[in-house]
Amino acid sequence: MERRQFITLLTAAGTSAVAQRALGRTAGFSSEGTFPSVGGKTQANLELVRYPQKTDLILLADRPPQLETPLRYFQSDLTSNDAFFVRWHLSGIPTTVDSRTFRLEVSGHVNKSLSLSLHELKSRFKQVSLVALAQCAGNSRSLFEPRVPGGQWGNGAMGNARWTGVRLKDVLDEAEVKAGAVQVGLRGLDVPPTPTTPLFQKSLQIDHARDGEVMIAYEMNDAPLPMLNGFPLRLVVPGWFATYWVKSLSSITVLDQPPKTFWMDKAYRIADNPEGNEDPQHLAAATVPVSAMPIHSIFVRPEPGEQLRAGTSYTVQGVANDGGSGLRRVEVSTDGGQTWSDATLGTDMGNYSWRRWQLQRTPRAKGTFNLMVRATAGDGQTQRTSQWNRSGYQRDIIEHLVVVVA
């Protein structure tokens, strides 16, 4: 595989100007003419930008890149690589990776440390594939009331893809994990902007890391990972929020005691109670890390601002997911929750995939209507009517959508 390099786009805050700087010869895309100049485009008053290997996405932040997927790209079972959302935590994201010299380091509480090239990873371990939803824990944060700080994501901080790679378990077995191991630490190639900024490091319990489902992925939808989505390797933790899906994975450390890291001990935590709920005036004293995704469903069509016609048939569409028990049912209300109808479920691509749903309706009268959607998981979990936490994490509330029929 040739050396892969990345073009950095710096989007000036508060303006539509985009500066491009080529970092040498690129492979996988051309720096001449592949990406037209960006700026001035809006969708629902949000700025759209185009980064390398990406189509027009909603800009939340440019350092580090935070790019949201417009809802129209969720009208298929798999989210295309160029439309897949982007979320980095540190501004020092990798801009060049030489696949010939790259090594995945495995060390720590093991009998045999490993330094694996991409070729060795692909040739020495069994290849596996899985369809799974990657979702930011802060997806839909902008919908929390009262509002909370953080990236004001709409419903587009997620994407469904077919991931191909090797089992983390197989790599750990090759390294011969010692007795007494408790966790596995994970780190990527992104670096902090200052010496005092903590490294982005996550960890999994050893039994979870060795469950046979956690994957080290090198392909996404049957193609190499895009640079912005973690080339050359990305951890895939099916059913769990994407904060654990470490991008540009470069280091795996087996630990005989839990690590003390900012990104596990301080960040990405939620109230330690069954609902994960808090009162804005009385924040929870105890918190735990976010982990598995709860049941959730959203509308994909109508899109915000889309107008329907009285007497004209229309297909209401959306997607729903949970953390791994599968989807049992999706119900839609077109009268603000007074009555509910079962939606038709789309292709079942596995318990870790989202599932598309649709409901055909013909509005009879003009006016403004409140649509609602709720999903029920295979384990009986369903969406709730109220929710709030200080960080705007793991939204699982019944979604509302106001539509205008003309």
Side-chain angles (χ1 to χ4, degrees), residues 105-350:
E105 306 293 339
V106 184
S107 60
H109 200 64
V110 297
N111 287 317
K112 184 171 62 175
S113 295
L114 306 176
S115 183
L116 299 168
S117 68
L118 290 176
H119 175 73
E120 289 171 325
L121 195 70
K122 294 177 180 180
S123 61
R124 287 170 50 181
F125 301 93
K126 180 182 178 181
Q127 178 177 289
V128 294
S129 291
L130 175 77
V131 177
L133 175 73
Q135 179 178 204
C136 177
N139 192 31
S140 312
R141 179 182 286 125
S142 66
L143 303 178
F144 276 78
E145 290 291 346
R147 296 289 287 272
V148 297
Q152 296 300 300
W153 298 101
N155 287 330
M158 63 177 178
N160 203 46
R162 177 178 290 105
W163 308 93
T164 300
V166 302
R167 296 183 182 94
L168 176 57
K169 177 185 185 300
D170 293 346
V171 173
L172 293 174
D173 287 348
E174 177 75 10
E176 300 176 7
V177 174
K178 294 180 181 179
V182 296
Q183 290 196 19
V184 175
L186 307 149
R187 186 161 55 85
L189 294 174
D190 45 334
V191 296
T194 70
T196 58
T197 304
L199 288 167
F200 184 74
Q201 300 179 86
K202 301 295 288 188
S203 61
L204 295 173
Q205 295 292 330
I206 187 68
D207 289 344
H208 188 182
R210 301 179 72 178
D211 68 0
E213 293 187 318
V214 179
M215 178 194 301
I216 302 170
Y218 45 73
E219 287 186 0
M220 178 177 169
N221 292 328
D222 304 317
L225 293 163
M227 203 71 176
L228 282 170
N229 293 115
F231 179 86
L233 299 174
R234 179 173 192 170
L235 197 73
V236 171
V237 187
W240 279 37
F241 282 109
T243 179
Y244 295 94
W245 297 38
V246 176
K247 294 180 288 296
S248 296
L249 180 68
S250 62
S251 174
I252 299 172
T253 307
V254 179
L255 305 163
D256 59 1
Q257 56 184 348
K260 293 189 179 300
T261 65
F262 172 82
W263 297 100
M264 292 297 297
D265 299 338
K266 301 293 184 182
Y268 284 103
R269 299 180 70 88
I270 199 163
D272 186 11
N273 61 57
E275 296 295 325
N277 254 349
E278 295 181 287
D279 184 314
Q281 304 304 318
H282 301 91
L283 299 182
T287 62
V288 294
V290 298
S291 55
M293 292 181 282
I295 186 71
H296 191 212
S297 58
I298 67 166
F299 291 99
V300 172
R301 289 195 69 196
E303 292 189 60
E306 184 176 356
Q307 195 174 72
L308 279 60
R309 297 286 180 183
T312 301
S313 178
Y314 188 89
T315 303
V316 181
Q317 301 179 47
V319 294
N321 71 278
D322 85 318
S325 69
L327 193 64
R328 179 187 299 176
R329 184 183 193 188
V330 173
E331 300 166 278
V332 178
S333 173
T334 58
D335 55 14
Q338 298 180 53
T339 60
W340 294 85
S341 299
D342 281 303
T344 301
L345 300 182
T347 304
D348 185 350
M349 303 188 71

